[in-house]
Amino acid sequence: MSKRIVVLVSGRGTNLQALIEATQSGYIGGEIVLVVSDNPQAYALRRAQEAGIPATVLDYGLFPNKKSYEAALLEVLERANPDLICLAGYMRILGKGIVSRYRYRILNIHPSLLPAFPGLDAQKQALEYGVKVSGCTVHFVDEGMDTGPIVLQASCPVFDDDTPHTLSERILQYEHQIYPQAVKLFLEGKLRVDGRRVVTVKE
Ligand code: GAR
């Protein structure tokens, strides 16, 4: 049976698009069964619709507090029964309940070489720090902010005339490569978590 992927989004959804295309081409042997957005305006919702993927909006602003939002999100996830949850530009920290329920079954993509520059505006942080190399990281989600075990990373140069925009665009190209790769490895059962290290199991 095809593996079930749920993708959580907040914004424009180019990483969602990369995952959609990787499932459509058969590169990833799984199906995106649901897209969930905390933001009703997210362009990612349009991408889901165009791909014929069901989408649910849980408008964060309409919930009285984080606890009630997380409870609703957990209910949606349970109903979708995912093998894997992908955070793709999902700009919230997942609550502990969801993280422990789906331990090592939640992946996130982050636009820096973690553990450098976690949190918001990673590309701006990288420029302000003055690093010459940056990149992106796919990692399992744990209770911390961008702290979970690292699955894949890709690096790219930072140029003297970069702005947060140009650096983000450069990193994004690598994001669109390593996120589908990581999802493929996961769904093929090739990732083994050994403490902080994620080992890729060879054939
Ligand atoms: C991506 O660069 C992703 O790595 C980043 O937001 C962007 C979303 O773009 N995520 C984070 O910063 C999470 N902390 P997208 O909506 O086009 O995929």
Side-chain angles (χ1 to χ4, degrees):
M1 216 174 65
S2 181
K3 300 274 187 177
R4 300 170 65 81
I5 308 166
V6 172
V7 184
L8 270 54
V9 297
S10 300
R12 73 195 152 165
T14 64
N15 278 291
L16 167 66
Q17 189 68 42
L19 294 175
I20 290 172
E21 286 166 18
T23 54
Q24 286 173 342
S25 71
Y27 176 75
I28 292 175
E31 189 190 350
I32 301 175
V33 293
L34 183 67
V35 170
V36 183
S37 176
D38 64 337
N39 167 17
Q41 311 301 334
Y43 188 77
L45 290 166
R46 175 92 71 86
R47 297 181 191 270
Q49 190 188 26
E50 277 168 13
I53 299 168
T56 298
V57 177
L58 293 177
D59 187 345
Y60 191 84
L62 298 181
F63 287 84
N65 49 46
K66 178 165 167 117
K67 196 169 163 217
S68 58
Y69 168 80
E70 288 280 323
L73 178 57
L74 180 58
E75 210 177 297
V76 166
L77 292 173
E78 291 288 292
R79 242 182 287 133
N81 189 25
D83 295 292
L84 173 66
I85 297 167
C86 292
L87 311 189
Y90 179 69
M91 302 312 265
R92 293 188 187 283
I93 308 243
L94 274 184
K96 291 184 170 47
I98 292 178
V99 171
S100 63
R101 170 76 179 91
Y102 296 100
R103 173 91 48 206
Y104 302 135
R105 285 194 285 154
I106 310 175
L107 290 174
N108 180 42
I109 181 115
H110 183 76
S112 74
L113 292 175
L114 289 170
F117 316 127
L120 290 179
D121 298 324
Q123 305 92 335
K124 185 162 169 275
Q125 291 184 55
L127 284 175
E128 283 171 358
Y129 199 90
V131 294
K132 303 300 184 194
V133 174
S134 190
C136 49
T137 303
V138 178
H139 64 92
F140 283 110
V141 172
D142 67 6
E143 283 77 3
M145 188 175 63
D146 301 323
T147 52
I150 290 170
V151 177
L152 290 178
Q153 292 186 302
S155 62
C156 68
V158 178
F159 298 127
D160 289 349
D161 59 353
D162 266 331
T163 64
H165 177 73
T166 59
L167 180 58
S168 301
E169 289 297 304
R170 187 173 315 116
I171 292 173
L172 205 53
Q173 296 173 30
Y174 292 90
E175 296 186 35
H176 298 164
Q177 292 174 22
I178 67 168
Y179 212 179
Q181 280 169 15
V183 170
K184 179 182 170 72
L185 289 170
F186 178 91
L187 293 181
E188 290 175 351
K190 290 189 177 154
L191 299 179
R192 204 184 69 231
V193 184
D194 180 10
R196 275 219 55 87
R197 301 189 72 189
V198 180
V199 178
T200 304
V201 182
K202 302 277 181 279
E203 298 293 345

